[in-house]
Amino acid sequence: METQLAPEWQTTDWFNTPEPLSLSGLRGQVVLLHAFQMLCPGCVSHGLPQAQRVAKLFPDVRVIGLHTVFEHHEAMGLSSLRAFLHEYRIRFPVAIDLPGPDGDPLPRTMRAYAMRGTPTTVLIDAQGRLHRQVFGVHDDLLLGAELGLLREHATSSTEFPARPEQLVKPSCADDSCAIG
């Protein structure tokens, strides 16, 4: 089964990087894209700390944050996000998702990936293919195992039989904010 290339990110501003990043520019590296909102309780208590642990424990995995706002737009502006990243000591690169066209409340990258809400963890293999997308909190052990496999296949010549999968919770819970 042929896997699909992950959609390119559509962003406005970037933090913690001297220049904007792109998926095509990260080819050859395993990427963990963490989509979050700074006012999402599950993102703050579970998702972002997990992304920070991955960035610390897997220095060869590129952890990228995507602030993708689909609610409370007026409260989550550029200066608020800058303060949030500073206060929570988020050091990995973070992009702001490009707002949707013509008043669409869903940002463009969020829509391109068909995200159901935040937090969402997206694993992209070294060839730029979508490996897995998880809405809600991703299990630490499963995430570590998947990253280990992706890292191994990134350095070997064997083809990784990745299948894009989306693990979805049946309804919203305390650890996630679903699109209404």
Side-chain angles (χ1 to χ4, degrees):
M1 175 180 184
E2 184 66 25
T3 57
Q4 66 182 14
L5 287 178
E8 194 61 62
W9 307 317
Q10 299 177 60
T11 61
T12 58
D13 295 283
W14 283 84
F15 295 91
N16 303 331
T17 182
E19 58 190 39
L21 302 174
S22 68
L23 273 176
S24 58
L26 295 173
R27 288 276 162 75
Q29 299 176 60
V30 174
V31 175
L32 183 148
L33 177 67
H34 176 69
F36 72 99
Q37 293 184 100
M38 66 181 158
L39 294 181
C40 164
C43 299
V44 174
S45 64
H46 300 291
L48 284 166
Q50 183 180 63
Q52 288 176 300
R53 287 190 303 273
V54 170
K56 180 180 178 182
L57 297 172
F58 296 93
D60 57 330
V61 172
R62 290 302 305 259
V63 175
I64 308 294
L66 179 69
H67 192 241
T68 185
V69 178
F70 59 86
E71 59 187 353
H72 310 299
H73 292 85
E74 63 284 347
M76 292 194 265
L78 193 62
S79 61
S80 296
L81 179 60
R82 181 178 291 112
F84 175 88
L85 296 174
H86 174 77
E87 290 300 318
Y88 283 88
R89 294 169 176 76
I90 307 296
R91 303 284 186 249
F92 51 80
V94 174
I96 297 177
D97 204 350
L98 184 65
D102 302 322
D104 182 353
L106 292 185
R108 294 178 193 220
T109 305
M110 181 179 225
R111 185 168 297 284
Y113 280 80
M115 293 180 192
R116 293 189 55 224
T118 56
T120 294
T121 301
V122 180
L123 298 177
I124 300 167
D125 71 15
Q127 289 74 41
R129 298 175 301 203
L130 181 61
H131 175 73
R132 182 173 321 272
Q133 184 167 312
V134 179
F135 168 62
V137 178
H138 196 358
D139 180 81
D140 281 338
L141 291 175
L142 180 58
L143 178 58
E146 289 174 327
L147 288 172
L149 286 172
L150 290 173
R151 292 167 65 224
E152 176 64 28
H153 288 287
T155 59
S156 72
S157 60
T158 60
E159 183 66 20
F160 185 61
R163 290 186 1 239
E165 296 181 31
Q166 189 170 25
L167 302 179
V168 180
K169 294 185 178 199
S171 64
C172 288
D174 290 340
D175 63 353
S176 59
C177 299
I179 296 170

